[in-house]
Every structure is written in structure tokens, then in C-alpha cells.
Amino acid sequence: MKTKKLAGQMGIMEYMLMTVFIMVIIVMLVFFFSGWQISQTQMQGSRVKSENLLSNLKNVMYSPLFIRDDSMFDDAKLTALQGKCEKVKEVLGADVFIEVKTLEKVAEIPCDPHRYDINCNYWSICRRDAPHSALVMPVNVYRNMGNVLASGILGRVDLAIVKVGVYESQ
Amino acid sequence: MRANKGQTTLVMIVIIIIIFAGIIMFLLNLAGTVSQKEYMNMYSHNMLLSILRTDTGYLDSKCQTMSDTLACAFLEPSWVCEGSGMRCKDLAEGLLASYTGKLEATKKNYLYLFTVEPTGGLVVRDPETGEQMVIQVGNMDPSAKGDIITANERIVKGGNILKVQLKLTSAQ
């Protein structure tokens, strides 16, 4: 009789211990999932941001407003668009900026929209000093007056980097 | 015996919950890397194409652009590029290193390997060393494995085809 009672108590103890064990696991899982969910939400936010950046980059690299051929910018178009931020905003949307720099010289020589200069190597459109995120991509720039010879003027294709960014919303 | 069976079922349920949670987390993490991969893929293809299209600055038609110079390096290995005083192969290697170095400065965490080799049974021997010619420039170990993005292009000249490949990976 006594042994049967003891076995019953042992059974109850075992059951309670198991219940506590499972409760601890469930609580740990709840905490773990909450933390993970928060980090996933943050990741999702940054993923949407980088997808938006990538889409802007593609728009710039394949827009006839800037290029001569796929991912080959035309220096005359870039020069003409310097200071015409509003026009570019109509195409790409607000808060987007573009920077293009050829890589033959390290020094940055900004291009003047009022004067064609073959020695300049930097174009910036809608660029201002504000927090932003951006992506860079290797591209070419077609210099319309790349080689001026006695026999005529030849174009030249330079290696460049395009940086397309979006300003952080305030 | 009956109590033990109940406990085993409970433990099994907990294990199944943990396994499912693991699978869900794995799938969601996989989705997170897609956008980064797309960017790297685009970067490698653009890097390869942009370098091949770049003008070298020499007016000799055999080495006017980077792709002309690479073709000259394999198809006319002894040709000295007018204005440079260098053989096409040396010029091509020097320019490739220079261009990729400049791009590397803008993306410091990327490792790359640029390889140019003839295809279709064409064997080109270096006029100086006599060895089979392959141009390889980059800061990535050629035997490296893992998450590597590969971009391929072909240079077709005079019925010959050169395979140009760029392997890109992130240093992190």
C-alpha cells in the first residue's frame, strides 16, 4: 500500500518536473523568437532600402537621359545636366543623387556645365551634404572629344565609377 | 509505462517545434541574401564589361581598347603596341592591373580574379618563355572556393575566341 502511494507521488513529481522543463523551453523559445523577430524586422527594413537603391542604380545606368549605350555615360549629357536637379528629379524621383567620376586621375576636377572641358572628370547631379546611403558600380564614360587629332576629333571611352544614392528621410 | 509514453510525446513535440523554427529561420535568412547577391552579380558583370570597353589611350588599332589589346596579346604575341613600346601581353597585364587596382580602391572588401585564355583548341605560347599563355590578374587565390560570382565574356577576333572571366567574392 505504502509502495503504491510512493510510486504515485514519484509519478506526480516526475510529471511536475517535466511540466516545468517544457515551460522553461517554451519561455526560452518565446524570448528567442521575440529577439529574432525584432532583428528580422530591422533586416527587412535594410533589405527594402538596398532594393530601392539597386532599382535607382539600374534606372540611372539604363536611362537614355544619361547614357550613350548600356552602362556607358555620355559626358555631354552629364555636363548638360549639371545643376538641372529639378529635371532629374522628375525622372528619378526626389532625394536621389548621382555622382560619376572617371578613374584616370585621382584628383577630382568638377565639370562646368557652361564649358566643355576634356580634362574634367567629375559630374554630380542633385548632390548635397546630407546623410545618405548609396551604391557604386563600374561603368564607362564616353568622352565626345577624347582625342583631338589633326585628322579629326575622336571619341574615347574611359573607365569610371557611378555612385547613385538616396538621402535619408529626416 | 503510460506516464513514460506521455513524456516521450511531449519531448518529441518540443523537438519538432525546434526543428520547424530552425527551418523557418534558415529560409528567411536565405531570402535576405538575395539582394546582396544581385548587386554583386551586377557589379562583376559591369566591371568586366567596362574594363573591356575602356580605351587604352593608344591609337594603334591593335591596342586601342582593352579588348583589342587582349586579342592582340593572344593572336599576335610579338606585336609591339605603337606609342607604348610594349608587347601587347605586357601592356594588357599592366593595364588590367591598373584598372582593377583603381576599382579595388572604391570597393576594398571585394576580391577578384581576372582570367583570359584562348578557347576552341587554340594554343598560344609566350614568345619569351615558351609556356602556354594565360593572363591572370587579381587579388583572389585561384583555388579559392565558396560564394564566388563569375562573369563571362568572349572576345571574337579573326575566327578565334578568347574566354574572359572575372571571379568576384566578398572578403568578409
Side-chain angles (χ1 to χ4, degrees):
Chain A
M1 184 72 178
K2 206 174 179 183
T3 322
K4 217 174 175 183
K5 198 178 171 189
L6 209 68
Q9 280 176 350
M10 284 284 279
I12 291 169
M13 282 290 281
E14 225 172 83
Y15 188 76
M16 280 174 70
L17 213 69
M18 203 58 217
T19 312
V20 168
F21 172 69
I22 290 168
M23 289 286 278
V24 166
I25 288 179
I26 289 171
V27 168
M28 276 169 67
L29 277 175
V30 166
F31 273 105
F32 176 72
F33 271 111
S34 310
W36 187 70
Q37 192 60 39
I38 290 166
S39 76
Q40 278 299 308
T41 312
Q42 285 167 344
M43 266 177 65
Q44 183 75 17
S46 75
R47 192 159 68 232
V48 168
K49 208 159 116 182
S50 62
E51 275 171 7
N52 182 30
L53 275 173
L54 202 58
S55 143
N56 278 317
L57 182 67
K58 284 180 190 168
N59 285 346
V60 170
M61 283 173 53
Y62 299 104
S63 165
L65 188 63
F66 310 103
I67 63 166
R68 181 186 175 89
D69 196 357
D70 281 358
S71 69
M72 186 188 285
F73 288 82
D74 188 317
D75 72 341
K77 289 182 179 180
L78 288 174
T79 304
L81 283 167
Q82 296 266 87
K84 300 235 168 65
C85 185
E86 291 307 315
K87 200 132 200 112
V88 174
K89 274 183 182 173
E90 282 172 21
V91 180
L92 298 174
D95 296 332
V96 176
F97 71 86
I98 306 162
E99 283 179 288
V100 181
K101 190 190 174 295
T102 61
L103 299 175
E104 81 275 24
K105 288 180 204 143
V106 178
E108 212 169 78
I109 307 164
C111 295
D112 183 347
H114 306 294
R115 193 170 60 90
Y116 185 88
D117 179 11
I118 190 64
N119 293 314
C120 73
N121 63 5
Y122 174 75
W123 297 264
S124 71
I125 300 163
C126 301
R127 187 77 178 97
R128 60 174 199 267
D129 201 14
H132 65 269
S133 3
L135 287 177
V136 295
M137 190 61 64
V139 287
N140 291 117
V141 172
Y142 182 81
R143 311 303 302 256
N144 284 277
M145 291 174 74
N147 294 302
V148 182
L149 308 169
S151 53
I153 297 167
L154 296 176
R156 189 183 76 213
V157 178
D158 283 348
L159 187 62
I161 279 281
V162 64
K163 181 176 177 181
V164 177
V166 177
Y167 294 111
E168 310 275 344
S169 43
Q170 302 295 315
Chain B
M1 189 70 181
R2 235 174 149 180
N4 275 351
K5 201 181 170 191
Q7 285 167 11
T8 314
T9 313
L10 282 172
V11 171
M12 281 296 286
I13 289 169
V14 170
I15 290 171
I16 288 167
I17 289 171
I18 292 171
I19 290 171
F20 265 100
I23 291 170
I24 290 166
M25 276 168 61
F26 172 75
L27 289 176
L28 284 171
N29 277 333
L30 208 68
T33 59
V34 170
S35 149
Q36 175 65 12
K37 270 232 166 103
E38 193 186 348
Y39 172 67
M40 275 185 76
N41 197 22
M42 197 174 157
Y43 190 95
S44 63
H45 282 88
N46 261 281
M47 182 174 170
L48 179 58
L49 192 64
S50 303
I51 286 177
L52 290 180
R53 290 195 300 202
T54 301
D55 271 317
T56 58
Y58 299 107
L59 296 174
D60 184 341
S61 63
K62 286 193 168 64
C63 49
Q64 198 173 355
T65 65
M66 197 61 225
S67 60
D68 292 336
T69 314
L70 286 168
C72 168
F74 283 91
L75 307 176
E76 292 175 77
S78 315
W79 184 269
V80 175
C81 181
E82 197 184 316
S84 74
M86 293 164 85
R87 285 189 313 143
C88 287
K89 185 194 177 234
D90 299 329
L91 184 67
E93 282 177 335
L95 286 171
L96 263 183
S98 160
Y99 294 154
T100 46
K102 281 171 183 171
L103 290 172
E104 197 188 336
T106 60
K107 269 279 176 196
K108 292 192 173 75
N109 62 332
Y110 281 2
L111 300 175
Y112 60 87
L113 185 69
F114 213 107
T115 309
V116 190
E117 57 192 346
T119 58
L122 177 70
V123 178
V124 182
R125 302 219 170 262
D126 192 301
E128 281 181 359
T129 61
E131 287 172 11
Q132 191 172 335
M133 206 156 84
V134 174
I135 291 179
Q136 216 162 44
V137 174
N139 56 2
M140 188 207 290
D141 179 4
S143 60
K145 287 195 167 58
D147 218 358
I148 297 171
I149 307 270
T150 307
N152 291 298
E153 280 289 338
R154 291 188 314 165
I155 299 173
V156 183
K157 209 137 211 177
N160 296 302
I161 300 170
L162 299 177
K163 182 184 163 198
V164 189
Q165 188 179 65
L166 176 71
K167 286 182 175 179
L168 187 81
T169 188
S170 179
Q172 291 157 347

